[in-house]
Amino acid sequence: MPRHIAIIMDGNGRWAKRHGMARMFGHKQGVQTVHNITEAAAELGIGYLTLYTFSTENWNRPKEEVDALMALLVDTIAKETPTLMKNNVRLLTIGDTNRLPEDTRRKFVGCIEETANNTGLSLVIALSYSARWELTHAMQETARRVAAGEIRCEDINEEFVSDSLTTKGMPDPDLLIRTSGELRISNFLLWQLAYSELYFTDCLWPDFTVEEFYKALIDYQKRERRFGKTSEQVR
């Protein structure tokens, strides 16, 4: 079973369009899928589930849609916090949350603090996140520390880079799932996905059931993860 699963939840807008509804209808349906998949991951004993919720590029969407998404996020946090507590789920976030509206950020931080002592699944919400933003921010901070004499260039290795990212302390994803049929990773966890297994499905996110989730896990379990070694070495 993978220890860490990352998901690019794609297809809410297209799902709504197929049903003759506004895009926000698709986002609301997608929230129910998040609920279902989170519960399934918790029941299976998955350690980390990271969901690509809102990218830094998504701020360029129409203001009405962004405002509605932020309002939906606040409403979802309020409704789901008791469920997270019941299921022993810890909420974490990665991304530039300073860009969030104050009310959204305050409630989000409140939920993170309330669930901080839970010991089951860690649900990581990638919010106002992009991998290029993350890497740029890490390099800026590293350059500052070198200039201040806090570290030397010789101290910078792969472990140092990993510890400089927003995912510090988390294992890299074993499995990346992307819904909606798109075959790209869209500026998501570029460093962390170096050896992840990739699973793409045509299923739109609101239609991604627990059974579809299980299909991805079964496919993952058939893979041979070599990490640069030969099959003979792994066996």
Side-chain angles (χ1 to χ4, degrees):
M1 195 68 70
R3 184 181 179 193
H4 184 178
I5 300 173
I7 304 181
I8 300 176
M9 308 178 295
D10 197 17
N12 289 340
R14 275 169 284 173
W15 187 90
K17 186 176 181 180
R18 287 182 183 179
H19 289 78
M21 305 292 286
R23 290 178 59 85
M24 278 308 301
F25 183 72
H27 292 308
K28 290 178 180 178
Q29 293 297 312
V31 167
Q32 183 58 48
T33 303
V34 170
H35 176 94
N36 296 341
I37 300 305
T38 299
E39 284 202 332
E43 290 173 0
L44 290 171
I46 303 297
Y48 291 81
L49 176 66
T50 298
L51 304 178
Y52 202 7
T53 306
F54 191 88
S55 72
T56 54
E57 291 83 1
N58 288 154
W59 290 111
N60 297 320
R61 290 188 176 185
K63 185 177 183 302
E64 296 78 11
E65 182 175 354
V66 172
D67 289 345
L69 283 170
M70 291 299 110
L72 178 61
L73 178 61
V74 169
D75 183 59
T76 300
I77 291 170
K79 290 181 178 178
E80 290 294 324
T81 299
T83 303
L84 297 179
M85 294 300 297
K86 182 187 72 172
N87 292 327
N88 196 28
V89 175
R90 177 177 62 152
L91 184 68
L92 301 172
T93 187
I94 56 174
D96 186 9
T97 54
N98 289 327
R99 297 185 65 178
L100 297 175
E102 179 58 30
D103 183 54
T104 303
R105 188 166 66 88
R106 178 172 51 81
K107 292 186 178 180
F108 199 60
V109 169
C111 183
I112 290 173
E113 292 175 347
E114 186 172 348
T115 63
N117 293 324
N118 290 344
T119 58
L121 171 72
S122 290
L123 176 62
V124 186
I125 303 299
L127 187 60
S128 188
Y129 171 90
S130 77
R132 289 186 174 183
W133 163 82
E134 177 182 46
L135 292 168
T136 300
H137 183 268
M139 286 194 295
Q140 289 172 340
E141 178 60 17
T142 300
R144 184 198 65 75
R145 294 182 64 189
V146 171
E150 298 174 10
I151 57 172
R152 303 170 302 161
C153 291
E154 293 78 13
D155 297 327
I156 302 172
N157 52 27
E158 288 190 16
E159 183 180 1
F160 178 91
V161 174
S162 293
D163 286 345
S164 300
L165 302 178
T166 59
T167 52
K168 177 181 179 180
M170 304 180 196
D172 290 338
D174 300 295
L175 172 64
L176 170 72
I177 300 171
R178 178 164 187 156
T179 58
S180 87
E182 302 291 352
L183 305 177
R184 55 180 178 271
I185 59 175
S186 297
N187 203 2
F188 185 46
L189 300 175
L190 296 179
W191 176 273
Q192 298 88 336
L193 292 176
Y195 279 103
S196 302
E197 297 296 324
L198 309 182
Y199 179 87
F200 299 100
T201 174
D202 291 333
C203 187
L204 300 177
W205 179 246
D207 291 329
F208 190 74
T209 62
V210 172
E211 288 71 24
E212 292 292 334
F213 182 55
Y214 292 160
K215 287 181 184 178
L217 294 178
I218 291 170
D219 183 84
Y220 168 84
Q221 291 174 330
K222 296 176 181 177
R223 311 274 183 101
E224 181 183 69
R225 307 191 72 201
R226 296 191 298 274
F227 299 98
K229 297 179 180 180
T230 66
S231 295
E232 290 74 18
Q233 285 177 300
V234 173
R235 287 195 287 268

